[in-house]
Amino acid sequence: MDNGIEINPYVSTSRQEWDQVVKESKNGNFLHLRDYMDYHAHRFDECSVVISRKGRPIAIFPCNRVSDQVISHGGLTYGGLIYGTDVRAVYVLEIFQQLARYYKQTGVKSLLYKAIPHVFHSYPAEEDIYALFRLNAKMYRRDMSTVIQMDNRLKISVERRQSVKKAEKNGVEVQEGVFVESFYQLLTQVIGKFGTKPVHSVDELQLLQGRFPNSIRLFGAFKGEQLLAGALIYDFGHVAHTQYLASSDEGRKIGALDFILAHLIENVFSARRYFSFGISTEHDGQYLNEGLIFQKEGFGGRGVAHDFYELDINRDDGV
C-alpha cells in the first residue's frame, strides 16, 4: 500500500504542528502536548516522530528510547499513536509498518506500546490495536483500572456512604486550591510507608499546575486549617482522573478522602462522561490490590483494562 505516509523525527520547530495534531485528535489530551511532555524531557532519550500524509501532519507518536527498545512513552501513563477522525484504518496499518521500518533502521529491536484505554478516547480509536495484531505484537501486561460511567452511576456502597457521613459529622470541608506543597508533604508521607515516592517532584507539580490550571486541579479535605486528605485531579474534559490521592491517619479515621471523592463525583464532575480512579494492580498486572479496588468499587467504579504490547521489529518477515 502507498498512501503517501511519511515519518519524520520530532524537532523543536515541529512543536506547533505537534500540538495541533493533539488538539484535533480523537485520543490525545493535554498529557501529549509539548508543554506537558517537555517538563521532564531531560530524563528521556526522546525519539518521537511526526507522521504526515501528502505533506500534512496527521498523527504523532510520543516515545523514548532505552537501549534497543522504544517505549511509548516512558514518562506518560499511556502514549500510543495520536491521530484524528480523518485517519482511516488503512492509514494506521501503513503507519505502523513504516514505524517498524523506521526504528529498525536505527538499531531498535522492539517497541513497547502503551495503548490508551478507550474511556480516554473522545471518539472510537482502536485502529492501533488492530494494526499491532496484524504485526503479531504480543500483550505482555494488563493493568486494571476502575472507572465510573457518570450517566449511569451505580449506587455508592453502604461502607462508603457511612464513611462520608462520618466526615460530615466531624466538620470536614472540601476546598479547591493551589496548596501543592502541603499536599505533596502528605502524599510523600503516605506512599513513603510503602517504599515508594511520587512520580513528580513538588516543583514539577507546581510547574504543571501553573501551565494547566484548568486541567490539573487540587482538592483538599480540611478540618479548620488542617489538611486531612487530598486529591489531585487531571481533568481531560470528558474524563476526570484521580492522578494522586492521599489521606493522613486522622483523615482515614473520619473518612476524609471518601468525603472528597463523593463531593467530586456527585458535584464537581457530575457532568463528565467518566470518573477514573486509576489502576489497582502491581507487578505488570499480576497482583491485584483487593483493598484498594474495593474502595473504588464502593463508589460505583468498574473495571477498564490498560493494555501494553511488545512489537518485535527485529524479525525478517517483510516488516
Side-chain angles (χ1 to χ4, degrees):
M1 65 181 75
D2 183 6
N3 290 295
I5 303 297
E6 297 179 358
I7 310 291
N8 292 294
Y10 171 77
V11 292
S12 58
T13 53
S14 309
R15 181 188 184 94
Q16 185 174 352
E17 293 177 343
W18 177 285
D19 284 351
Q20 193 63 32
V21 169
V22 175
K23 292 173 183 177
E24 295 177 355
S25 72
K26 59 181 181 175
N27 60 346
N29 53 54
F30 75 86
L31 298 182
H32 306 109
L33 295 173
R34 298 311 309 193
D35 265 350
Y36 190 94
M37 289 186 59
D38 288 348
Y39 86 89
H40 56 19
H42 60 284
R43 299 182 192 171
F44 299 97
D45 179 13
E46 186 172 356
C47 56
S48 301
V49 296
V50 177
I51 298 102
S52 299
R53 179 174 182 263
K54 297 182 178 179
R56 183 177 71 87
I58 61 168
I60 59 161
F61 187 58
C63 59
N64 65 286
R65 181 167 178 167
V66 178
S67 186
D68 59 1
Q69 287 187 324
V70 165
I71 305 170
S72 72
H73 177 292
L76 300 174
T77 306
Y78 43 75
L81 185 72
I82 310 299
Y83 54 104
T85 54
D86 57 343
V87 178
R88 307 299 180 92
V90 291
Y91 302 165
V92 177
L93 282 173
E94 183 174 347
I95 287 170
F96 270 84
Q97 289 174 341
Q98 289 209 31
L99 283 174
R101 296 190 189 102
Y102 175 86
Y103 288 116
K104 184 176 181 179
Q105 291 172 357
T106 66
V108 171
K109 293 183 178 179
S110 64
L111 168 64
L112 302 184
Y113 190 90
K114 300 179 181 181
I116 301 175
H118 71 89
V119 293
F120 294 101
H121 300 169
S122 60
Y123 203 81
E126 294 187 341
E127 294 89 349
D128 58 341
I129 302 301
Y130 176 69
L132 288 167
F133 163 75
R134 285 282 299 272
L135 291 176
N136 296 311
K138 305 299 181 184
M139 186 174 68
Y140 70 92
R141 171 179 171 182
R142 169 169 280 170
D143 287 329
M144 176 58 65
S145 180
T146 309
V147 175
I148 299 172
Q149 183 175 320
M150 298 296 281
D151 65 354
N152 189 28
R153 281 194 289 126
L154 301 177
K155 290 183 178 180
I156 186 172
S157 70
V158 173
E159 294 91 344
R160 300 279 72 79
R161 183 57 67 188
Q162 289 175 340
S163 182
V164 171
K165 288 182 178 179
K166 186 183 295 185
E168 290 176 340
K169 290 179 180 178
N170 279 274
V172 175
E173 296 182 346
V174 177
Q175 299 176 25
E176 181 178 2
V178 290
F179 45 92
V180 174
E181 288 190 15
S182 55
F183 171 71
Y184 194 84
Q185 183 178 3
L186 175 62
L187 178 64
T188 52
Q189 290 173 352
V190 171
I191 66 177
K193 297 176 182 178
F194 303 98
T196 60
K197 60 182 181 179
V199 174
H200 303 87
S201 71
V202 63
D203 290 338
E204 289 171 343
L205 283 182
Q206 289 175 323
L207 172 67
L208 291 172
Q209 191 180 38
R211 288 181 178 179
F212 300 96
N214 297 322
S215 299
I216 300 178
R217 303 172 63 181
L218 182 57
F219 298 85
F222 290 86
K223 189 172 182 180
E225 295 183 359
Q226 183 183 7
L227 176 64
L228 299 176
L232 186 72
I233 304 297
Y234 276 19
D235 185 359
F236 297 116
H238 69 295
V239 184
H241 172 72
T242 58
Q243 182 71 13
Y244 289 116
L245 300 172
S247 178
S248 67
D249 290 338
E250 182 180 351
R252 276 190 290 275
K253 292 177 182 177
I254 62 174
L257 184 57
D258 283 347
F259 188 69
I260 294 177
L261 292 171
H263 175 70
L264 297 180
I265 293 165
E266 297 173 358
N267 299 292
V268 181
F269 299 112
S270 60
R272 299 296 189 271
R273 190 184 307 170
Y274 299 108
F275 189 91
S276 164
F277 287 101
I279 67 171
S280 301
T281 44
E282 303 169 25
H283 306 308
D284 286 350
Q286 295 299 324
Y287 173 76
L288 177 66
N289 187 325
E290 296 182 13
L292 181 58
I293 200 169
F294 179 78
Q295 180 188 25
K296 298 171 181 178
E297 290 174 338
F299 284 100
R302 291 298 184 266
V304 170
H306 287 221
D307 290 344
F308 298 70
Y309 296 87
E310 181 171 11
L311 175 61
D312 179 6
I313 60 177
N314 197 43
R315 64 188 196 276
D316 187 19
D317 62 354
V319 172

